[in-house]
Amino acid sequence: MNSLMSSIGNSTNIFWHDCAVGKTDRQKLLDQKGCLVWITGLSGSGKSTLACSLDRELYSRGKLSYILDGDNLRHGLNKNLGFSAEDRAENIRRVGEVGKLFADAGLICIASLISPYRKDRDACRAMLPDQRFIEVFMNMPLEVCEERDAKGLYKLARAGKIKGFTGIDDPYEPPLDSEIELKMVNGSCPTPSEMAGQVASYLGKNGLLRHG
Amino acid sequence: MNSLMSSIGNSTNIFWHDCAVGKTDRQKLLDQKGCLVWITGLSGSGKSTLACSLDRELYSRGKLSYILDGDNLRHGLNKNLGFSAEDRAENIRRVGEVGKLFADAGLICIASLISPYRKDRDACRAMLPDQRFIEVFMNMPLEVCEERDAKGLYKLARAGKIKGFTGIDDPYEPPLDSEIELKMVNGSCPTPSEMAGQVASYLGKNGLLRHG
């Protein structure tokens, strides 16, 4: 075990502890590589659906994945955050930091949250070097998302009952260089299993579904 | 996938997403049960040493564990927190929430942090029902910890250069009902592997090292 003194941010007299069992060992145990699949897109674009479908697909291949759902985390880790610009950024930062821990633990972590601003997503990307951050852009037209409106939120936003709703009165900044972009083909949306297959295939091609 | 509308804390219009792959499935894949081993004690009491030793012991048995080190997290997830009473409580809350996620993912999560106040530790315990929170109390005498002083912090605290240092000018509230208590025997400290063996043995006896 190594201890290294440092002073970062608000923290002073904080040591860094290194341990004998490392990321490589855990990856060997799991026969996969830890990474963070970051699913971004409008409300109703199918992020949670893809997350679940991908989770199932990976499980069927004997791989260990875990979903960090932006909504679910607001019940726990992020329950002291609201929807101000500052709180939204902190919300995303925390998900990125936790995703980084899961990736370090060797898991294929699947984060699913609107994450509308490029700056916030890129800050998370910067936390995971070596192609371990895989951005998946759910590029579905607003009309399609609004038409679905499974949660009834667009209706509320259009009625002015929710303010700062992404796509309505708050911007969504599309990724400029996402690893994967999912969109409609010939006017129809890909099925959940088609989307999951595409992401799993990307992970496989990039060597993330084996440890060596 | 189920969506359930709710309003909790600062969050409104937040849905809960449930997924097909559950904790039980992940536990089956790993052949273990997710839980949170919470190591508490004074600075220098051997928390990190035990965490590392336990991590190695579990790895040698083919089990997947992951250490959440209080100091290390202050470089990432908790880097925006200081050492005020409020920030310390939030620091511990976040570690508890993340530990809960790791346990849900099926891992044996090992949290190592002073966590001096009973109230904060009990709040974490409450997050993990069903005996999935295992409190390990490093019950080493202050004199022994101060004598070690591997980080030189006691010296700084005695010199008044660090304020509110646990054991010196801030209290440590010992657990009243920890699952495991580690202490000196006949005037000598247990070795790291003896301590790890004791914890691993507890986990085994309580069925946490197999999935069924």
Side-chain angles (χ1 to χ4, degrees), chain A:
Chain A
M1 189 182 65
N2 295 316
S3 283
L4 191 72
M5 186 75 176
S6 74
S7 170
I8 290 191
N10 288 338
S11 304
T12 47
N13 303 321
I14 298 300
F15 290 78
W16 182 268
H17 304 281
D18 245 339
C19 220
V21 180
K23 183 176 172 175
T24 314
D25 302 307
R26 289 183 292 268
Q27 293 186 155
K28 204 170 164 185
L29 188 66
L30 295 169
D31 193 25
Q32 63 185 46
K33 291 197 190 83
C35 59
L36 177 53
V37 176
W38 191 279
I39 308 173
T40 173
L42 294 172
S43 178
S45 61
K47 297 183 298 300
S48 297
T49 303
L50 168 58
C52 286
S53 187
L54 178 60
D55 202 33
R56 277 194 300 271
E57 173 63 28
L58 292 171
Y59 187 76
S60 76
R61 299 185 187 199
K63 302 302 166 189
L64 184 66
S65 52
Y66 191 67
I67 297 174
L68 295 179
D69 182 283
D71 283 0
N72 292 4
L73 288 178
R74 281 189 176 271
H75 293 263
L77 179 65
N78 295 338
K79 71 178 171 189
N80 51 4
L81 298 174
F83 290 88
S84 67
E86 197 188 356
D87 277 10
R88 278 172 181 235
E90 172 66 5
N91 183 54
I92 290 168
R93 187 191 73 83
R94 289 189 200 167
V95 177
E97 292 283 5
V98 174
K100 182 185 173 174
L101 293 173
F102 271 99
D104 185 50
L107 282 80
I108 298 164
C109 186
I110 305 166
S112 160
L113 58 179
I114 298 174
S115 48
Y117 306 130
R118 212 170 281 141
K119 170 169 64 69
D120 298 329
R121 295 191 305 265
D122 286 349
C124 293
R125 176 185 289 274
M127 294 178 198
L128 288 114
D130 303 325
Q131 281 84 49
R132 296 304 179 91
F133 183 88
I134 297 111
E135 194 171 11
V136 181
F137 174 30
M138 304 298 289
N139 190 5
M140 305 298 160
L142 174 64
E143 308 78 57
V144 171
C145 300
E146 190 167 359
E147 173 70 27
R148 288 176 182 166
D149 205 12
K151 308 174 188 170
L153 297 178
Y154 283 101
K155 211 171 191 177
L156 291 171
R158 289 288 184 196
K161 287 172 186 164
I162 302 178
K163 300 287 181 194
F165 195 77
T166 300
I168 304 299
D169 57 347
D170 211 63
Y172 178 81
E173 299 173 356
L176 299 176
D177 54 358
S178 61
E179 278 71 12
I180 300 168
E181 183 177 343
L182 296 170
K183 50 184 171 184
M184 297 176 75
V185 178
N186 300 325
S188 58
C189 296
T191 66
S193 74
E194 279 166 357
M195 297 193 295
Q198 201 173 325
V199 178
S201 159
Y202 178 93
L203 298 177
K205 276 179 196 152
N206 285 273
L208 297 161
L209 302 184
R210 59 174 196 273
H211 78 273

